[in-house]
Amino acid sequence: EDKLGPVVQKVAADSKEKGIELEREVTKRNAAAKNKNVTIVDGRVGLIVSSDTHWPRRGGSGKKYVSPSGLTYMIGSLTGMIVGSHVCSYDCRTCHYVEKKLKAGKTKP
């Protein structure tokens, strides 16, 4: 299990990079075919993406449960490939750490 996590993360990162490259190339190709300019800032091609966020929920009867974490994906509009992702969380470790230090009087607000 400890060895599988990094492999899955590497495959996901490689897939996102491939998605970005393909979306960039298709964007340039479409702009050239339509005689339109592509927005390029600091060597970066402007892409059009949509995003989708998912917060898992569980529970049929009785107590319902909403997960403390969720996932957001950015999807390229021309290729439909995932070009970005982010794990979202209700709980922030940094916030909890600072709150704990503040309560203990070990830091100033």
Side-chain angles (χ1 to χ4, degrees):
E1 193 173 293
D2 291 339
K3 294 178 182 178
L4 185 60
V7 172
V8 171
Q9 289 176 348
K10 172 87 170 101
V11 169
D14 290 348
S15 177
K16 283 189 287 187
E17 280 300 316
K18 185 187 280 186
I20 290 168
E21 286 297 320
L22 185 58
E23 190 72 24
R24 184 181 296 135
E25 292 305 315
V26 171
T27 298
K28 288 179 182 178
R29 204 173 330 137
N30 278 5
K34 295 177 182 179
N35 291 325
K36 292 187 176 182
N37 292 328
V38 175
T39 303
I40 300 176
V41 177
D42 295 331
R44 296 180 176 197
V45 176
L47 303 178
I48 298 172
V49 299
S50 60
S51 67
D52 185 28
T53 301
H54 173 71
W55 290 91
R57 296 174 189 219
R58 296 186 208 189
S61 61
K63 187 176 181 181
K64 293 199 175 189
Y65 169 77
V66 177
S67 175
S69 62
L71 301 168
T72 296
Y73 295 102
M74 288 177 280
I75 303 151
S77 66
L78 299 174
T79 62
M81 293 186 71
I82 293 174
V83 296
S85 63
H86 182 74
V87 176
C88 309
S89 177
Y90 282 127
D91 294 324
C92 172
R93 285 191 220 173
T94 303
C95 296
H96 288 298
Y97 176 79
V98 171
E99 286 172 3
K100 188 175 177 181
K101 291 287 188 181
L102 284 171
K103 285 180 183 175
K106 295 183 178 180
T107 189
K108 296 179 184 178

